[in-house]
Amino acid sequence: MTSNIGYACINLTLQVDEKVMTNRGMIKKTFTEKGIQYASQLALQNVHDLLRIVDWNLAHGFRLFRMSSDLFPWASEYRLHQLPDFTEIRATLEEIGARPIRLTFHPGPFNHLAGQGKTLDNTVTDLEYQSDVFDTMGLTPSRWNKINIHAGGTYGDKVATLTRFAHNFKTRLSENLRARLTVENDDRVTLYSVQDLLFLYEQIGTSIVFDYFHHALHPDNQTQEEAFQMAYDTWDVRPVFHYSDSRRDYEDPKARKEAHADWLYTAPNTYGRDLDIVFESKMKELSILRIRGEEPEYSPKMQKLIEAAAVAADLAGTTD
């Protein structure tokens, strides 16, 4: 049983047809020249478009959405309240936060909470900014609005690294961020499985986001159901798990084994548990609409995008 389903960051329907996007940014040189005023203008456009995406999602039955971590350009260089347009930005974020949709973040892989020095400082800054966004939305700190990261590298010693992660979690992060942070199992045998991450749950209570596809690549001697149930039991609210299909298996036999498919071809086994799922297919909301049998009439621009994906899938099929 799945309570809510969603997708990540980009609504292709709105982006292709109406140029609605939430990741407007700029290079460092532009930020240096134009400063916080320009960053504020872009951020305001981004949050306005986020509201449009959220409302589109609700109209189409999506009550879960992973937001882009790039809502605020060069967010490491200022606090949100310092933006010249903050009053309007805050009002828009509050409106978004009042919508009946579950919102999450998945900060980038450069975040290493077990890191040291500048790497750790940058990680804390980035994670706190995303927690500030949720605070500005008026959302109660909890894993209902998760900020999900990977544990990062092993630095040659998994236990020592996870111990450092736990120490930094307790000593460097705000209370609100600690309440929101989750960790996700990895897709490489050199990194962290669900069993590895259980150490963090036992040390600091951090919930584990189970990624079905990652587990298939790095099961660590657990069945899918065993790893699923282990991760599920770390949550104190309804969990959010991740699901995608393999690009190599369904679309391109030459793809990297870690590559996600453009479309969805299979359905997740939720083992009878109440669960929310972010589908991480490249075709975003279109892949979910297709598997539901709800494909809309596509614009010419969108049709070109669909046809390009279909050609790639057909080519993959002829090489089997």
Side-chain angles (χ1 to χ4, degrees):
M1 165 168 66
T2 302
S3 296
N4 296 318
I5 60 174
Y7 57 97
C9 303
I10 297 169
N11 181 293
L12 288 173
T13 303
L14 293 176
Q15 179 170 291
V16 171
D17 293 338
E18 301 180 44
K19 297 184 179 179
V20 171
M21 63 189 74
T22 63
N23 61 349
R24 295 174 182 83
M26 57 187 141
I27 61 174
K28 181 70 171 180
K29 182 174 183 290
T30 305
F31 180 68
T32 302
E33 292 171 353
K34 296 190 175 183
I36 196 172
Q37 180 69 51
Y38 187 52
S40 183
Q41 292 171 20
L42 295 179
L44 182 58
Q45 289 178 275
N46 285 342
V47 297
H48 278 161
D49 278 3
L50 176 60
L51 178 58
R52 290 191 62 188
I53 292 171
V54 164
D55 285 344
W56 187 99
N57 284 341
L58 291 170
H60 292 82
F62 295 96
R63 298 176 69 88
L64 169 66
F65 184 63
R66 178 194 299 165
M67 300 186 297
S68 169
S69 294
D70 298 323
L71 275 173
F72 290 84
W74 294 98
S76 60
E77 305 303 309
Y78 52 83
R79 297 296 303 274
L80 300 187
H81 70 267
Q82 295 174 322
L83 294 171
D85 298 292
F86 179 67
T87 299
E88 188 174 352
I89 287 170
R90 179 175 56 193
T92 307
L93 289 177
E94 287 173 348
E95 193 172 350
I96 293 166
R99 294 291 198 266
I101 189 169
R102 186 176 189 177
L103 300 169
T104 70
F105 273 126
H106 192 355
F110 54 84
N111 284 285
H112 293 280
L113 194 54
Q116 302 176 73
K118 192 66 174 174
T119 296
L120 177 59
D121 292 342
N122 291 342
T123 295
V124 172
T125 297
D126 189 57
L127 297 180
E128 291 288 0
Y129 136 67
Q130 289 169 80
S131 189
D132 281 348
V133 173
F134 281 142
D135 288 341
T136 307
M137 286 181 171
L139 296 170
T140 301
S142 83
R143 293 181 180 91
W144 184 259
N145 302 108
K146 69 179 176 67
I147 299 174
N148 180 60
I149 62 173
H150 291 266
T154 63
Y155 300 93
D157 187 332
K158 282 186 178 180
V159 174
T161 301
L162 292 178
T163 299
R164 190 164 58 248
F165 183 111
H167 172 76
N168 291 337
F169 176 94
K170 290 184 283 189
T171 61
R172 294 294 302 271
L173 304 186
S174 67
E175 181 180 357
N176 286 3
L177 175 54
R178 293 197 303 270
R180 293 178 170 122
L181 202 71
T182 61
V183 289
E184 176 183 347
N185 58 305
D186 291 299
D187 57 8
R188 300 184 183 184
V189 296
T190 54
L191 297 176
Y192 299 96
S193 66
V194 170
Q195 288 192 98
D196 292 327
L197 296 175
L198 191 64
F199 176 88
L200 287 179
Y201 171 69
E202 292 169 343
Q203 294 293 311
I204 53 177
T206 305
S207 301
I208 300 170
V209 173
F210 179 66
D211 187 300
Y212 287 81
F213 183 37
H214 292 177
H215 173 79
L217 295 172
H218 180 21
D220 197 11
N221 298 313
Q222 279 191 305
T223 66
Q224 178 179 278
E225 183 173 7
E226 288 169 343
F228 174 100
Q229 300 289 5
M230 179 177 283
Y232 194 99
D233 290 341
T234 64
W235 286 77
D236 57 1
V237 295
R238 188 165 66 238
V240 180
F241 287 174
H242 299 166
Y243 190 85
S244 57
D245 283 308
S246 164
R247 181 167 177 79
R248 176 183 287 185
D249 289 349
Y250 290 96
E251 295 171 349
D252 180 2
K254 297 179 181 178
R256 291 184 308 109
K257 64 180 181 179
E258 299 90 0
H260 296 224
D262 288 347
W263 299 94
L264 293 169
Y265 301 90
T266 63
N269 187 342
T270 59
Y271 301 99
R273 307 299 291 268
D274 195 15
L275 180 67
D276 290 354
I277 296 180
V278 173
F279 288 98
E280 296 184 318
S281 47
K282 298 283 182 64
M283 296 303 285
K284 307 296 182 180
E285 82 286 355
L286 302 182
S287 61
I288 302 173
L289 293 174
R290 174 177 285 190
I291 211 165
R292 281 177 172 176
E294 299 175 7
E295 276 192 286
E297 292 242 358
Y298 295 120
S299 69
K301 286 183 181 178
M302 185 65 76
Q303 192 61 44
K304 284 185 179 179
L305 192 69
I306 303 293
E307 288 169 358
V311 167
D314 288 344
L315 288 174
T318 62
T319 60
D320 286 345

